Amino acid sequence: GHRRAWDDPGLPAALAADLGREVALTRDLDGQQDLGRSLLVTTTASHRALEAELGTPIDPRRWRTNLHLDLPDAPAWADLEWEAGTLELEGGVVLDLLHPCERCVIPTRDPDTTAKWPELLKHLNRAHALSFGINARVREPGRVAAGEAATLHPPPG
């Protein structure tokens, strides 16, 4: 419920109080939060598989997804193997697929209530190397429309 700047000297103490443990702030320039000009792609198959694994519905807004794909031929978790591939959308948008998205604590917070669900992240860590979705970067910009066809061009080799 409070906003603090990265350089606020009170930020580490506020985070420690909220998390119940000591924290040290470091900036990871390779980390997801600093992955500039990128977007997150998720799939229905992986989302449904995770719901089945955990035995409960999961609000898809938890992922902060930019592009959610319903690909009938793609099995669950296939998106974690698309690194170095491309995704072409019917309207001409082309995305370079970077790497699986290593999840942070954000999806453990309910998007409406901010209630914590740490088991989500613990499960992703145990079962899927902390990954859900794949990060991408726009190669060819344009508009994306709901229901538009998507073609995956797998990584070479």
Side-chain angles (χ1 to χ4, degrees):
H2 299 347
R3 288 180 179 230
R4 294 182 180 265
W6 174 258
D7 59 354
D8 179 340
L11 180 59
L15 289 172
D18 185 50
L19 296 170
R21 62 183 174 91
E22 290 299 313
V23 297
L25 299 181
T26 59
R27 239 173 132 77
D28 179 1
L29 296 180
D30 293 325
Q32 307 317 305
Q33 69 274 21
D34 292 313
L35 190 59
R37 297 182 17 222
S38 68
L39 55 99
L40 175 65
V41 178
T42 59
T43 67
T44 299
S46 294
H47 183 85
R48 287 184 181 150
L50 186 61
E51 288 178 324
E53 290 170 9
L54 289 167
T56 189
I58 301 170
D59 187 331
R61 295 178 301 156
R62 285 183 180 268
W63 309 119
R64 300 351 187 238
T65 300
N66 300 104
L67 182 63
H68 186 74
L69 303 174
D70 188 4
L71 303 172
D73 297 334
W77 310 110
D79 47 311
L80 300 182
E81 299 173 7
W82 295 347
E83 186 171 343
T86 58
L87 187 68
E88 187 173 350
L89 301 168
E90 184 178 353
V93 171
V94 177
L95 303 177
D96 291 324
L97 300 169
L98 303 176
H99 46 75
C101 183
E102 186 176 313
R103 301 316 305 222
C104 66
V105 72
I106 295 297
T108 67
R109 295 292 190 141
D110 181 280
D112 293 321
T113 67
T114 71
K116 297 176 184 177
W117 183 29
E119 183 55 34
L120 176 61
L121 199 58
K122 290 175 185 176
H123 177 80
L124 283 174
N125 186 43
R126 283 190 308 267
H128 303 287
L130 209 57
S131 297
F132 188 86
I134 188 162
N135 291 302
R137 192 161 278 135
V138 176
R139 181 192 306 168
E140 295 292 331
R143 291 195 119 147
V144 177
E148 197 171 289
T151 303
L152 173 68
H153 302 284

